[in-house]
Amino acid sequence: MIETIATTPYDDQKPGTSGLRKKVPHFQQPNYAANFIQSIFDAAGLSGGETLVIGGDGRFYNREVILTAIRMAAANGYGRVIVGQGGLLSTPAASNLIRKRGASGGIILSASHNPGGPNGDFGIKYNIANGGPAPEKITEAIFEKTKTISRYRIWTETPPDISRLGEAKLGDMVVEVIDPVADYAALMEQLFDFGKIRDLIASGFTLAFDAMHAVTGPYAREILENRLGAPQGTVRNGVPKEDFGGGHPDPNAVHAAELIGTMMGDDAPDFGAASDGDGDRNLIMGRGIVVSPSDSLAVLAANAHLAPGYAGGIAGVARSMPTSQAADRVAEARGIGIYETPTGWKFFGNLLDAGKVTICGEESAGTGSNHVREKDGLWAVLLWLNILAERRESVKAIMESHWAEFGRTFYQRHDYEEIDKRAADGLMGSLHDRLASMAGQRFGTLVVSEADDFSYKDPVDGSVATGQGIRIVFSGGSRIVYRLSGTGTKGATLRVYIERYEKDVSRHGQDPAEALKELIETADAIGEIRKRTGRSEPDVVT
Ligand code: G16
């Protein structure tokens, strides 16, 4: 039976870079999740009988919200919900299912790489029929609905058991519980030469994958161990846990330090990788080398044709603005399109749908292609493995020859986490005020050639996004970018992105910190970071 429950609005349900993210206790306030889900359904313009995909990364509170979402879907006229067994679906697997099954959308419960548990983070994201994150005009419409919501609809009966595969009914709606891995693994087999990768592994090539107790564990075990023949134990931390084993499922230098340590050791495997909470991010490493996400995007763009799914070449590449320009150099050399978008995978959707680009990537450890409409951690791992299986060179050798051909773009991102929100806004506001007078200013050997606040006009639908980060470009092409994160749940996080291009091969071996020293000092001088935030060091450098 449909029940209509009276509710009152919350004023803080504006989706950020990737959906609504808050602390678990915040989501546990009365009707907080239900208000947001009803607002999604109200903004979606349903005509009845649609299919909805529902899944999440298995974090604490996942199951409760999934059961609520199923009951609300039944009461709002959906004809079918497709749910991952136990409520699990990685973000790319959900994107694939939405596309494959012709769903009108999907609800993905995740706070990505943020920590989980009763006091950790939680999130709700809505994806549209192309499988990708809802674009801004839809997230804005959802936000508008949250401001005036006065009731939500929910089915009174309990939904079927989501831990058992199969179909059952809730009212008129079918609840279909599926194996979360099967369709995704089948898609990967279509894109990559599993036979060649199997041969590589059988020849003694060694690898380690850290699933960080998050959602990719079952996917990586099935694909890497069962289908590609990597020995059991290749996948570490492979059982998803509600609190990610107390860790922070972010594949970066701080939180994947153990695997990075292994990869830098004498008996390191040939290849190492890690993924995040919901399986859309990736970290790629070789023996003695960590590949920066911006470089990984460039290498994948230059070598994708070696995998069967991209044998015809790629149409173009897109990267978020703060991502280094390494991929631009590949695109220029190959005569293919290159697009610079704001941060957020949602900005790639139109370019992918229109066939303007095949591969996209972001400095925030995300790469993906037109196979789905999300970034995809295991996809990146498999494309790297397919390239390694074809080239039979080490990761380090591949990076060195890439830099020799295209030049090296030294790159770092400095994160200042949980800083005072007012100090962060003051810092950005002051930069903004000084933009007009910036060109021509000299800082040591660096001269500012242009400075702006990045805005983007979507070439497909003409929509405009403004205020997407302060860009300071120096003559010679070096850049400093300042942005506030849109995914944090406490205070503000300032991200400072720093890059410098180096053509001279004899200088490619430098330590990035050394190669970027002058720019790093200049970033503090221009941004007045120390003075305004009281911080002398970033919390994380990636
Ligand atoms: C999300 C978005 C990405 C974005 C990243 C970082 O990733 O999907 O497009 O690059 O956040 O955003 P910010 O710099 O605003 O924190 P995820 O993996 O958290 O969903």
Side-chain angles (χ1 to χ4, degrees):
M1 206 179 80
I2 297 174
E3 199 177 352
T4 302
I5 313 265
T7 186
T8 48
Y10 286 91
D11 63 5
D12 63 352
Q13 296 199 316
K14 185 175 171 60
T17 309
S18 184
L20 184 67
R21 284 188 197 168
K22 303 281 176 199
K23 295 276 174 218
V24 168
H26 201 93
F27 260 105
Q28 287 170 325
Q29 297 175 87
N31 302 335
Y32 194 84
N35 274 15
F36 191 69
I37 294 170
Q38 184 65 54
S39 300
I40 291 173
F41 294 160
D42 289 344
L46 303 170
S47 48
E50 283 93 346
T51 296
L52 181 73
V53 170
I54 306 180
D57 62 12
R59 67 179 59 225
F60 183 85
Y61 209 45
N62 200 43
R63 187 175 276 266
E64 285 84 343
V65 178
I66 286 185
L67 296 181
T68 302
I70 294 173
R71 290 170 60 203
M72 290 180 64
N76 278 276
Y78 280 95
R80 176 180 291 264
V81 291
I82 301 172
V83 190
Q85 187 177 23
L88 287 186
L89 273 181
S90 77
T91 288
S95 181
N96 177 44
L97 276 170
I98 294 169
R99 296 167 66 76
K100 187 169 173 182
R101 300 293 304 274
S104 65
I107 289 184
I108 304 174
L109 305 172
S110 170
S112 186
H113 53 290
N114 297 11
N119 293 307
D121 289 356
F122 191 76
I124 303 181
K125 190 168 82 149
Y126 181 61
N127 282 29
I128 58 171
N130 75 351
E136 293 216 309
K137 66 174 188 297
I138 296 180
T139 55
E140 277 303 320
I142 295 170
F143 181 46
E144 286 306 313
K145 298 282 181 193
T146 68
K147 292 181 190 168
T148 54
I149 189 164
S150 59
R151 54 92 194 104
Y152 67 87
R153 282 191 291 275
I154 189 158
W155 199 265
T156 42
E157 282 82 37
T158 322
D161 181 1
I162 58 166
S163 61
R164 295 226 320 261
L165 296 175
E167 289 190 9
K169 281 205 137 181
L170 186 64
D172 293 333
M173 186 183 80
V174 177
V175 179
E176 179 183 350
V177 181
I178 55 139
D179 172 354
V181 177
D183 296 272
Y184 178 82
L187 175 64
M188 293 300 114
E189 287 219 47
Q190 282 168 26
L191 296 175
F192 302 115
D193 190 337
F194 273 36
K196 277 235 166 78
I197 303 174
R198 237 188 331 262
D199 291 348
L200 175 75
I201 293 171
S203 73
F205 178 93
T206 51
L207 64 155
F209 180 88
D210 189 346
M212 305 191 91
H213 294 298
V215 79
T216 36
Y219 295 85
R221 281 175 151 178
E222 173 59 22
I223 294 172
L224 300 177
E225 295 181 359
N226 297 346
R227 300 197 187 192
L228 293 172
Q232 297 250 322
T234 296
V235 178
R236 303 168 180 198
N237 304 319
V239 178
K241 293 194 174 154
E242 282 197 334
D243 66 347
F244 307 116
H248 196 132
D250 191 354
N252 66 16
V254 174
H255 302 295
E258 200 178 317
L259 183 59
I260 293 177
T262 304
M263 295 307 299
M264 296 301 143
D266 290 339
D267 49 1
D270 294 300
F271 182 80
S275 193
D276 70 333
D278 60 331
D280 55 4
R281 295 186 175 208
N282 71 87
L283 170 68
I284 301 291
M285 289 165 283
R287 182 178 297 141
I289 187 166
V290 177
V291 181
S292 86
S294 295
D295 270 349
S296 180
L297 171 66
V299 169
L300 296 183
N303 293 276
H305 60 279
L306 298 176
Y310 307 93
I314 58 174
V317 186
R319 62 164 174 82
S320 65
M321 181 274 281
T323 304
S324 97
Q325 297 163 86
D328 303 33
R329 298 188 172 103
V330 174
E332 274 157 32
R334 300 283 157 87
I336 55 173
I338 175 82
Y339 295 84
E340 185 176 41
T341 62
T343 294
W345 205 263
K346 58 192 172 198
F347 292 102
F348 295 138
N350 279 347
L351 297 171
L352 289 163
D353 285 351
K356 289 183 180 297
V357 301
T358 309
I359 288 187
C360 308
E362 295 188 279
E363 50 65 38
S364 56
T367 21
S369 86
N370 59 355
H371 68 293
V372 290
R373 292 294 181 273
E374 285 278 5
K375 56 190 187 275
D376 188 345
L378 264 172
W379 170 90
V381 169
L382 291 167
L383 181 49
W384 262 98
L385 288 174
N386 203 146
I387 292 165
L388 290 162
E390 286 290 342
R391 291 184 51 167
R392 297 280 174 148
E393 291 168 76
S394 69
V395 172
K396 202 170 190 173
I398 287 179
M399 288 318 305
E400 286 169 356
S401 67
H402 184 91
W403 295 331
E405 183 177 356
F406 299 100
R408 178 167 185 185
T409 308
F410 287 101
Y411 185 83
Q412 277 189 346
R413 183 179 98 186
H414 292 201
D415 291 344
Y416 299 82
E417 296 175 343
E418 295 185 19
I419 57 177
D420 179 62
K421 178 95 179 64
R422 274 200 320 226
D425 289 339
L427 185 151
M428 294 300 290
S430 161
L431 278 168
H432 196 270
D433 292 346
R434 285 180 280 142
L435 278 176
S437 60
M438 205 77 90
Q441 282 194 41
R442 176 179 282 276
F443 298 88
T445 66
L446 298 164
V447 180
V448 177
S449 59
E450 49 185 313
D452 69 355
D453 189 350
F454 181 62
S455 64
Y456 175 67
K457 183 168 183 204
D458 186 303
V460 179
D461 66 13
S463 58
V464 173
T466 54
Q468 298 294 321
I470 301 284
R471 263 194 312 195
I472 299 182
V473 185
F474 299 91
S475 39
S478 293
R479 292 196 315 178
I480 300 172
V481 172
Y482 302 83
R483 235 191 105 245
L484 297 183
S485 160
T487 57
T489 57
K490 203 171 171 204
T493 294
L494 170 69
R495 302 201 196 285
V496 185
Y497 313 80
I498 300 155
E499 75 176 90
R500 181 169 81 77
Y501 179 63
E502 178 62 72
K503 183 89 191 103
D504 182 352
V505 182
S506 70
R507 299 214 189 108
H508 287 172
Q510 278 179 94
D511 178 11
E514 198 47 44
L516 297 170
K517 195 163 180 289
E518 187 178 20
L519 279 158
I520 293 169
E521 287 162 8
T522 306
D524 182 50
I526 297 181
E528 302 172 337
I529 301 172
R530 221 176 279 230
K531 185 176 120 196
R532 289 178 175 274
T533 68
R535 302 283 179 88
S536 53
E537 295 287 326
D539 298 282
V540 184
V541 176
T542 46

